[in-house]
Amino acid sequence: MTTAMKEQMDSASVQNPGTRETMLSLRNCSLSFGNVPVLDKVSLDVYRNEFISILGPSGCGKSTTLRLMLRLLSPEAGGEVAYSSPDLSLGMVFQKPVLMPWLSALQNVMLPLELGEKKFSKGEARDKAESALRLVGLQDYLNHFPHQLSGGMQQRAAIARALAADPTVLLMDEPFGALDELTREKLNFELLRLWESPETSLSSIVMVTHSIHESALLSDRVVMMSPRPAGVTDIIPVALPSPREAGMEELPEFHRTVKELRKRVKHL
Ligand SMILES: Nc1ncnc2c1ncn2[C@@H]1O[C@H](COP(=O)(O)OP(=O)(O)OP(=O)(O)O)[C@@H](O)[C@H]1O
């Protein structure tokens, strides 16, 4: 999120979500795999400059919702996936870093830039990949291969790969689920720092997580999905101050949000 973008966010629109600019919308999206209905009339707006978490029972359709947002899947008739502009740029980070083991960190980040729709030259791809790796703190590991990186570093490389393509909206599918708790906590705050940094193009983040704690700490809004066929049951705003910082878990608002989310998860 650039400083200019932040400045565009007027206080009226924060107080009244109805006036906020929508980057991406799912409207009435239903989807089945074969004869198994997975999503049932899912509607969700992703606003400019917000961090959304999606919480829901295992197998309910959270990853499927992200794939719809990416337009890798299409909704059934009557549903729509709308973007704020035809060239809205989306990035994706998966639970596993999915790095090519025979390529260095730098080559892994360069690869989609050289092969993707925009097709950057080798020199441009190298520059973009180097700055993305610097942003995630891997500037000293450019030539390391994935097996020479820790799990957290591999996931940072995967985040760098997504950031290198300058996405406006970043979709993340349980990005820190496979990491130990300390690394996960560290990466949570690193992600927030990247999101707030004027050096990235990021406006909005949508993150699937299984962690109530993580969703309360990071998000502006938490989207709760029901069991399959999933719908959006609740959208809970989190009123913690921004920027989010370590120690905010001590605030009454954090405890109130966690309690509220736990209560609603129990009812799913
Ligand atoms: N390509 C596919 N073909 C058939 N069924 C699929 C396909 N992809 C997902 N499913 C099914 O759709 C349902 C929703 O899957 P999805 O991965 O979206 O759930 P999820 O909420 O992300 O799960 P988890 O929290 O366990 O990661 C599951 O029952 C899954 O088996």
Side-chain angles (χ1 to χ4, degrees):
M1 176 166 52
T2 63
T3 311
M5 279 169 147
K6 255 199 174 303
E7 282 165 3
Q8 279 172 14
M9 215 172 113
D10 64 52
S11 57
S13 58
V14 177
Q15 284 153 18
N16 179 5
T19 64
R20 293 188 66 175
E21 184 184 345
T22 304
M23 307 303 289
L24 184 160
S25 270
L26 300 182
R27 296 196 192 113
N28 231 10
C29 288
S30 298
L31 189 141
S32 302
F33 289 116
N35 54 9
V36 180
V38 172
L39 297 181
D40 180 28
K41 299 196 183 91
V42 170
S43 291
L44 177 64
D45 288 325
V46 177
Y47 299 124
R48 180 184 284 283
N49 295 334
E50 77 165 344
F51 195 126
I52 290 186
S53 289
I54 302 182
L55 271 181
S58 183
C60 75
K62 300 179 294 295
S63 305
T64 305
T65 303
L66 292 190
R67 285 196 279 159
L68 264 181
M69 287 181 174
L70 272 175
R71 290 186 169 156
L72 293 176
L73 295 170
S74 303
E76 285 161 14
E80 190 191 4
V81 181
Y83 289 171
S84 57
S85 104
D87 48 13
L88 179 73
S89 163
L90 284 93
M92 180 80 195
V93 176
F94 299 94
Q95 180 175 12
K96 296 209 174 107
V98 217
L99 301 169
M100 304 294 165
W102 59 90
L103 296 180
S104 68
L106 181 66
Q107 290 166 328
N108 264 289
V109 178
M110 285 172 67
L111 187 68
L113 297 173
E114 292 177 282
L115 299 179
E117 269 174 35
K118 280 189 194 160
K119 280 225 179 23
F120 292 95
S121 71
K122 210 169 192 65
E124 285 170 326
R126 172 179 282 274
D127 288 349
K128 289 180 89 57
E130 279 183 5
S131 21
L133 283 161
R134 183 177 44 75
L135 273 173
V136 300
L138 288 182
Q139 62 280 0
D140 296 332
Y141 297 87
L142 302 186
N143 297 318
H144 282 58
F145 289 91
H147 74 274
Q148 298 172 308
L149 302 173
S150 69
M153 289 159 108
Q154 290 184 27
Q155 199 53 305
R156 281 201 200 116
I159 293 172
R161 183 176 52 196
L163 291 181
D166 297 325
T168 307
V169 178
L170 186 61
L171 308 178
M172 308 183 90
D173 198 352
E174 287 184 67
F176 308 133
L179 302 175
D180 65 87
E181 202 175 325
L182 286 180
T183 311
R184 181 175 188 148
E185 213 160 87
K186 190 159 186 274
L187 286 191
N188 277 337
F189 285 106
E190 285 184 17
L191 176 63
L192 287 178
R193 186 180 50 74
L194 286 170
W195 178 46
E196 285 150 9
S197 163
E199 287 188 67
T200 71
S201 56
L202 278 183
S203 161
S204 313
I205 297 183
V206 181
M207 183 171 86
V208 167
T209 176
H210 282 127
S211 162
I212 288 178
H213 184 279
E214 189 172 72
S215 65
L217 189 61
L218 302 184
S219 320
D220 297 306
R221 295 190 299 153
V222 183
V223 175
M224 315 272 312
M225 295 185 81
S226 58
R228 207 185 66 201
V232 172
T233 51
D234 281 301
I235 300 183
I236 319 284
V238 183
L240 283 174
S242 291
R244 303 290 163 87
E245 280 158 9
M248 282 191 175
E249 297 98 320
E250 309 301 326
L251 295 177
E253 176 57 24
F254 179 79
H255 292 292
R256 197 198 63 74
T257 307
V258 167
K259 205 169 153 193
E260 183 66 30
L261 292 172
R262 285 225 172 92
K263 194 170 84 190
R264 301 209 188 201
V265 163
K266 270 195 196 145
H267 287 112
L268 290 177

